[in-house]
Amino acid sequence: MKKVKLGIIGCGIAARELHLPALRKLQDKFEITMLCNHTEQKARDLSEQLGRVPYVLDYRELLESSEVEAVDIALPIHLNFKVAKDSLLKGKHVFVEKPVTANLREARKILSQSEASDLVMLVAENFRYRKVYLRAKELMKKGKIGKPYAAMWDLFNQVTLNSKYAKTKWRQHPKYPGAFVSDGGVHNVAALRMLFGEFTSVKAFTKSINPKIGSPDTMSLQFRSQSGVDGVFNIFYSVDGYWENRLLIFGSRGSIIIQENKLMLKNNSEDDYIEEVEDDNGYIAEFTDFYNGIRKKKKVLSTPHEGLKDLEVIIAALKSAESNRSVSLTH
Ligand code: NAP
């Protein structure tokens, strides 16, 4: 099957450090035919790294090229909508980084536009493809912990201005709601929705501990889900002195504990089951899904609809924090 001719728009951290390693492993599926970055140095550097792939400074020029049939959009979040919209209009398949857009109005518009086209659009929410969460889902489906009833996810971290992510100006002064808690938290929401189905209501508080990295940087979210799993998700990006990333899932006959790529299954009648799940955080799987969507006409897992649903939860949580009330989600 023919390789997909891919144009990369945005030659920053995600494109260079997350997408490129996956694309290098998928050279039988993708050929990078053009690059775009509005400032030349980054475009030139990546071009050199890739053996002088042509580059442009204006993405509209890339969209005119017949050498590009699909785009990989890795831009500041507030640009996702416009660039995805223009790409679809120019007949390009779209792989766009998460969150799908900066707000719900844009997310609904891009969903309609992509559904009205015969092009593939994939929201690059890599947590939907991470093997450790897919494995937890499989174990729950097999009944290994009985009926799941609660979940707790603690993500405690310290992001300072030394972090490469916090150094990006668009994160320090976000043109989208929720700053780091939406940029990062949308990943966890995607995984929680995949594991437990749609959220029916949320109650949250947010804080800004270190406004220099963008505000807010701290959120505690309580949720109820359609499947009957209730939970708490704490995402704290300015924790000094302690680090944690642990998801606990409680069921009527056991518990699952996930720490990074390590999964543990515990109950009182059997020995603990521990598995280290090999994973590249889902980047290869999401590009493979994109390729199969284009070449094999398979429905992709991470659709704009899923991206919209993830964003709805984040926006509802921010609304709850602002109003100090719980917010219902309708489906
Ligand atoms: P970044 O390093 O700032 O990369 C964005 C790039 O876009 C920069 O090189 C920037 O150039 C360029 N750019 C800005 N405006 C442009 C325009 N109008 N036309 C062309 N290029 C333009 O940010 P990032 O960390 O890579 O994040 C990019 C996206 O990836 C975001 O959606 C983020 O949420 C996502 N992301 C996902 C993950 C994941 O695990 N899935 C991880 C990190 C990021 P300048 O820097 O020169 O302005």
Side-chain angles (χ1 to χ4, degrees), residues 13-14 18 37-39 42 97-98 126 170-171 183 283:
I13 304 164
L18 312 176
N37 203 79
H38 69 152
T39 51
K42 284 185 181 174
E97 263 299 344
K98 43 49 66 179
N126 55 301
W170 63 269
R171 285 189 173 90
D183 180 12
Y283 302 115

Side-chain angles (χ1 to χ4, degrees), residues 6-7 57 64 69 88 90 99 104 134 155 169 238 294 314:
L6 187 71
L57 307 184
E64 292 299 334
E69 58 176 319
L88 291 172
K90 289 289 175 186
L104 293 178
L134 292 167
L155 179 57
K169 290 278 178 281
S238 291
I294 297 170
I314 293 287

Side-chain angles (χ1 to χ4, degrees), residues 59 186 305:
Y59 76 90
V186 76
H305 176 76

Side-chain angles (χ1 to χ4, degrees), residues 47-306:
S47 166
E48 293 294 326
Q49 222 181 314
L50 290 168
R52 306 222 169 138
V53 168
Y55 66 82
V56 292
L57 307 184
D58 185 333
Y59 76 90
R60 289 169 298 189
E61 219 177 303
L62 180 147
L63 296 182
E64 292 299 334
S65 171
S66 58
E67 282 303 296
V68 172
E69 58 176 319
V71 291
D72 169 4
I73 301 172
L75 290 170
I77 291 166
H78 62 276
L79 299 174
N80 283 359
F81 173 66
K82 184 166 173 30
V83 180
K85 178 176 78 123
D86 290 349
S87 303
L88 291 172
L89 283 173
K90 289 289 175 186
K92 312 295 182 192
H93 302 289
V94 170
F95 178 100
V96 61
E97 263 299 344
K98 43 49 66 179
V100 56
T101 52
N103 59 56
L104 293 178
R105 187 178 44 81
E106 291 177 350
R108 290 187 189 111
K109 277 193 184 169
I110 205 71
L111 171 62
S112 313
Q113 190 186 349
S114 71
E115 285 185 346
S117 81
D118 55 4
L119 296 161
V120 177
M121 177 160 171
L122 182 146
V123 178
E125 178 42 80
N126 55 301
F127 274 38
R128 246 189 280 289
Y129 297 88
R130 282 186 64 172
K131 287 185 194 154
V132 73
Y133 304 124
L134 292 167
R135 181 80 179 117
K137 188 170 176 168
E138 187 187 328
L139 292 170
M140 285 194 288
K141 214 166 165 188
K142 283 186 179 159
K144 295 286 184 190
I145 60 166
K147 180 157 176 46
Y149 62 87
M152 288 175 76
W153 200 332
D154 284 332
L155 179 57
F156 302 143
N157 198 348
Q158 188 175 37
V159 175
T160 65
L161 275 183
N162 292 327
S163 139
K164 60 187 172 193
Y165 290 118
K167 276 182 187 155
T168 56
K169 290 278 178 281
W170 63 269
R171 285 189 173 90
Q172 292 169 15
H173 308 286
K175 293 184 186 153
Y176 54 91
F180 260 99
V181 303
S182 64
D183 180 12
V186 76
H187 285 303
N188 309 75
V189 165
L192 289 168
R193 285 187 50 249
M194 182 181 77
L195 290 166
F196 309 123
E198 297 303 343
F199 287 21
T200 53
S201 69
V202 293
K203 173 93 177 76
F205 74 75
T206 57
K207 278 190 167 69
S208 175
I209 306 301
N210 175 12
K212 288 185 182 148
I213 64 165
S215 167
D217 57 10
T218 299
M219 178 167 77
S220 184
L221 164 73
Q222 276 189 308
F223 64 89
R224 306 207 86 159
S225 74
Q226 261 171 359
S227 65
V229 173
D230 299 331
V232 182
F233 166 42
N234 294 311
I235 180 163
F236 294 8
Y237 279 117
S238 291
V239 175
D240 195 338
Y242 184 66
W243 185 95
E244 183 71 271
N245 181 8
R246 185 182 60 175
L247 170 61
L248 305 172
I249 305 171
F250 301 115
S252 54
R253 284 188 290 107
S255 309
I256 290 174
I257 299 105
I258 298 175
Q259 285 171 301
E260 300 298 320
N261 287 342
K262 185 171 164 190
L263 181 148
M264 281 171 284
L265 182 63
K266 287 172 172 280
N267 63 44
N268 286 335
S269 44
E270 288 167 290
D271 289 342
D272 292 354
Y273 169 79
I274 301 179
E275 191 178 332
E276 289 276 354
V277 184
E278 285 234 1
D279 203 350
D280 76 330
N281 288 333
Y283 302 115
I284 292 177
E286 64 184 5
F287 275 110
T288 304
D289 198 24
F290 188 48
Y291 174 85
N292 289 337
I294 297 170
R295 289 286 181 259
K296 301 183 183 171
K297 309 275 177 235
K298 288 193 178 163
K299 187 172 169 13
V300 299
L301 189 63
S302 192
T303 58
H305 176 76
E306 294 295 335

